[in-house]
Amino acid sequence: MTRPVAVLLSPVFPRPGGSGRALRAWDWMQELAADHELHVWTPEPAASTEGWPSGVRCWSGADDLEPALPWARRLGWLVPALGTLQPAVVAHWHLPRVHPPALSEMAAAIGGRPVARLVVFRLYLHGVAQWLRARLPVRRAELDLDDQDSATMRSTAGAQWRMGRRLDALLAWRESLQYRSLEGRLPAGYDARWLAADEDRAAFPMSGLRPNRLPASLPLGAGAGAGAGSAAAGGLHLLFVGSLDYPPNQEAALLLAERIAPLLRRQLAPPWTLTVAGARPPGWLRRRLQAAGGVQLLADLPDLAPVYAASTVALLPVLAGGGTKLKTLEALARGMPVVASAQAVRGLRLVPGRHYLPAETPAQFAQAVLRLQADPALQAALGAAGRAWHDAFRHVDGRGLG
């Protein structure tokens, strides 16, 4: 029996152990491939499809998009409202060429068959979706917003401002204005809209909720949180994980190195360690972390499992961003006690004091660490409660992530 056709447009190559976007794309691929002949398009170069569901075709559209015109983007920064009329001036917007090779080949392979589901992952792929919808009969088009781009960019601008990167902050703020104007009208053209966090549904009240989750196949190990006794014997090993080319994670790493670590050095009895692990840290961030001292930077590791296994507490001083944080889910799934800001647990409905210790300021983070050092039983209780919450959360809507 011939299966219906589905198409997933994703800005990144779907991977089960990659970035948050790559994992969310992986989630969509698993769902769509279960009942459809699935075609996945991404502007990223082709990569290994090992582990993908059988029969999924990947179309690499590295040559499909119009190159960004610097003058157009600068014009958009000067006059953000122009983005409403001309998406070419919107930062990071994806616009297809007149004859995009991979998209054209994909459309030819589908032929005149109807597309039962077209899933567009991220608002800035709307132009690619328009090109495809003009050439294929699409029965149902869905837009996965993930988060509210304008609010996330505005929040990111605040992080950059606090880090002293004022020009980047102003550009991010202007980008947020561009996206806000587009968010008001483009999602209305889809049959369904999806968000990761319930907090964003106020801006898109008719949207469905599709939480970020870890794949069931991701090897997590026992988790250091299960070993509170080892923490008491060998000291605390504090860990922050995040993509370090993302300003909210950069700010969190600097808060740990420049403000939280000095407090711990004065108050926390040794031995203890503080590790920041993440991909693509820029040179200026490396220099500031090195100048602060007392923090071990582990960059671009192929596998974070050994780092998690050697750590006892997850510190998440995240003050900006959007959606839900996979770093929080990863720590909870591994049974690690977590100290987190409200932003780090956004969208997860965790209970403070039961699933994690809440903290917002450097002093509060330091005090939470001191409390954990003095109370191994609390470490064990938080780790167990967090892991139990995650195991239940994974199956709330019955989807799972394969």
Side-chain angles (χ1 to χ4, degrees):
M1 180 177 178
T2 302
R3 299 201 300 172
V5 174
V7 174
L8 170 62
L9 304 180
S10 171
V12 295
F13 198 82
R15 293 182 181 88
S19 66
R21 289 187 305 167
L23 181 54
R24 194 167 175 87
W26 177 267
D27 175 22
W28 273 114
M29 183 176 70
Q30 297 294 319
E31 177 181 320
L32 295 171
D35 302 308
H36 298 81
E37 173 194 317
L38 179 59
H39 298 260
V40 177
W41 177 91
T42 173
E44 289 194 336
S48 171
T49 58
E50 182 180 357
W52 280 33
S54 61
V56 177
R57 296 193 64 178
C58 181
W59 304 88
S60 174
D63 298 321
D64 282 355
L65 301 180
E66 288 282 1
L69 299 175
W71 66 266
R73 296 293 164 85
R74 293 192 186 102
L75 184 60
W77 288 331
L78 290 172
V79 188
L82 286 177
T84 304
L85 303 174
Q86 180 49 263
V89 307
V90 177
H92 308 122
W93 204 257
H94 289 41
L95 288 174
R97 298 177 184 273
V98 176
H99 300 291
L103 279 170
S104 299
E105 289 181 25
M106 182 176 73
I110 295 172
R113 292 177 294 166
V115 176
R117 292 182 71 183
L118 168 65
V119 174
V120 185
F121 177 28
R122 303 303 303 225
L123 181 65
Y124 49 81
L125 283 180
H126 174 76
V128 178
Q130 281 185 306
W131 187 95
L132 202 62
R133 294 176 78 174
R135 290 158 178 82
L136 292 174
V138 175
R139 290 179 175 172
R140 178 177 174 85
E142 303 172 51
L143 175 62
D144 183 3
L145 293 152
D146 191 6
D147 59 18
Q148 185 185 1
D149 279 317
S150 61
T152 299
M153 290 177 181
R154 187 167 62 249
S155 176
T156 297
Q160 291 170 320
W161 188 269
R162 290 188 294 270
M163 288 188 291
R165 304 186 67 78
R166 302 301 169 81
L167 177 59
D168 291 335
L170 291 173
L171 294 179
W173 176 72
R174 287 179 178 270
E175 289 175 22
S176 77
L177 297 180
Q178 293 176 325
Y179 277 85
R180 187 69 192 98
S181 65
L182 294 169
E183 287 167 347
R185 59 185 181 87
L186 296 186
Y190 291 84
D191 300 299
R193 293 160 297 283
W194 301 99
L195 291 161
D198 193 54
E199 287 87 335
D200 291 323
R201 295 172 76 181
F204 306 101
M206 299 302 292
S207 297
L209 191 62
R210 187 183 181 89
N212 285 321
R213 305 184 189 220
L214 302 178
S217 58
L218 187 67
L220 297 174
S230 65
L236 292 182
H237 301 287
L238 312 171
L239 175 66
F240 173 79
V241 171
S243 298
L244 295 175
D245 57 352
Y246 184 47
N249 289 335
Q250 294 168 350
E251 181 184 33
L254 291 177
L255 282 171
L256 285 167
E258 297 177 347
R259 301 189 61 189
I260 297 173
L263 294 175
L264 294 178
R265 282 195 289 271
R266 291 196 295 268
Q267 302 175 54
L268 184 62
W272 61 273
T273 62
L274 177 55
T275 299
V276 171
R280 302 173 296 278
W284 66 266
L285 181 62
R286 288 177 180 268
R287 290 189 292 272
R288 283 185 63 171
L289 293 177
Q290 184 177 14
V295 175
Q296 179 186 30
L297 173 63
L298 300 178
D300 301 310
L301 296 179
D303 183 10
L304 288 172
V307 181
Y308 273 112
S311 302
T312 50
V313 175
L315 293 186
L316 306 178
V318 182
L319 304 182
T324 55
K325 310 296 186 291
L326 287 171
K327 60 176 68 64
T328 307
L329 294 176
E330 288 174 347
L332 293 168
R334 287 175 165 86
M336 296 178 68
V338 171
V339 183
S341 63
Q343 178 64 236
V345 299
R346 183 180 190 272
L348 298 179
R349 299 184 181 179
L350 296 169
V351 179
R354 179 182 175 188
H355 300 124
Y356 74 102
L357 292 185
E360 297 297 329
T361 67
Q364 290 171 349
F365 272 92
Q367 286 301 313
V369 172
L370 291 171
R371 183 181 172 190
L372 289 172
Q373 185 196 45
D375 193 346
L378 177 61
Q379 294 182 48
L382 287 171
R387 184 158 191 168
W389 176 91
H390 177 267
D391 290 344
F393 173 77
R394 174 180 280 171
H395 301 292
V396 162
D397 65 356
R399 286 189 301 109
L401 294 188

